[in-house]
Amino acid sequence: MVTDSAMAFIRLYRDSDFEACAQICIATLPPSLAASPAAAKLSPYLWTHPYTFLSPSTCYVLDDGTGTAVGYCIGCPDVYAFVAEYSRYVTSILSRDVESPGFDVREPWTVPATTSTDENSASVVINPQALAQNAYRADWMLLESNEAVTKRWRATMHIDLLPAWQGQGWGRQLIESFVLSVQKSGQDYGEGEHIGVAGENSKVVAFYEKVGFRVVEGGEGDNNIIMVRDISKL
Ligand SMILES: CC(C)(COP(=O)(O)OP(=O)(O)OC[C@H]1O[C@@H](n2cnc3c(N)ncnc32)[C@H](O)[C@@H]1OP(=O)(O)O)[C@@H](O)C(=O)NCCC(=O)NCCS
């Protein structure tokens, strides 16, 4: 892919970016999710579309200069307010595109490869049913595991750039755009923002440290690493 950084610019998300953002999410998944086509297809419904639908004023894309989004930094200023609003997303977007998986049993995040329909040589694979359940339950996804952190650093975000656009300074600029929008949001972001980094993607911890984050839970070898960045009041 030819990239022209001189033409590219950062702008707010717009509805016409829906599909491009889904593709960016899928193209940048960690290996365990990328290995399962069913899990990959669901991923934007957990980590991309909820933010762009419910909090578009804190969602930025990198536009390649032709109107196409090639990266994003998307999030919300307050996960508690976000979860309280989540049913709007379920009604308008999620239930349109993803069938409700049922909730009689809480599905495990991974299942043995032999019981999965995905062809994969790993011994366990991500369970698409668990992803679908979590897509419907933002409270499970965002509030359950680390309340001590989310109550203090209430904003959260996700950042992904297509490979050809990485390493050119856009990630840092996208995060600064997001942070400024949180500061201007009028919502209660507490002390700042928190993020979760999958253990298998721990190489990006160094990037986040460069742009102002620090690790507060987990580390090399852990499944989930929690990082925070303080955001001052304007
Ligand atoms: C991680 C990611 C968002 C970083 O964005 P980027 O545009 O490539 O990063 P930048 O060019 O803005 O880098 C900012 C700084 O971090 C440093 N940096 C970037 N990636 C790094 C890495 N893997 N290790 C160490 N430092 C890194 C850069 O050298 C730069 O430092 P400087 O400002 O002192 O020169 C991007 O590479 C990406 O989308 N990766 C794939 C998806 C992903 O892993 N997303 C995060 C999921 S938790």
Side-chain angles (χ1 to χ4, degrees), residues 159-161 166-169 171-172 201 203-204 206-208 210:
I159 179 165
D160 295 306
L161 288 113
Q166 295 170 12
Q168 301 170 44
R172 181 189 285 279
N201 200 22
K203 63 180 191 307
V204 298
F207 159 74
Y208 285 120
K210 280 230 162 162

Side-chain angles (χ1 to χ4, degrees), residues 142-179:
L142 289 170
L143 305 183
E144 234 177 26
S145 58
N146 53 353
E147 217 180 43
V149 173
T150 54
K151 281 226 146 96
R152 288 180 62 186
W153 293 273
R154 298 169 78 94
T156 196
M157 55 154 234
H158 294 276
I159 179 165
D160 295 306
L161 288 113
L162 292 178
W165 295 89
Q166 295 170 12
Q168 301 170 44
W170 291 114
R172 181 189 285 279
Q173 289 184 56
L174 279 162
I175 288 177
E176 291 316 316
S177 300
F178 170 75
V179 165

Side-chain angles (χ1 to χ4, degrees), residues 29 31-41 116 118 120 125-128:
L29 286 172
S32 66
L33 285 161
S36 158
K41 201 171 159 208
S116 163
D118 297 307
N120 190 309
V125 292
I126 301 280
N127 177 7

Side-chain angles (χ1 to χ4, degrees), residues 17-29 33 37-53 72 74 86 89 93-94 97-98 131 135 141 158 160:
D17 298 318
F18 186 92
E19 197 46 45
C21 287
Q23 291 312 317
I24 294 163
C25 172
I26 291 168
T28 54
L29 286 172
L33 285 161
K41 201 171 159 208
L42 283 167
S43 293
Y45 290 92
L46 283 82
W47 296 299
T48 309
H49 303 318
Y51 299 99
T52 54
F53 181 76
Y72 57 65
I74 57 182
Y86 199 76
Y89 165 70
I93 305 288
L94 188 63
D97 295 352
V98 177
L131 255 67
M141 207 169 35
H158 294 276
D160 295 306

Side-chain angles (χ1 to χ4, degrees), residues 4 16 44 52 55 61 64-65 68 80 90 100 105-106 111 118 141 143 161-162 179 181 203 213 233:
D4 185 352
S16 55
T52 54
S55 190
V61 301
D64 68 356
T68 303
Y80 291 88
V90 171
S100 172
V105 176
R106 185 155 180 179
V111 285
D118 297 307
M141 207 169 35
L143 305 183
L161 288 113
L162 292 178
V179 165
S181 71
K203 63 180 191 307
F213 288 80
K233 306 293 176 206

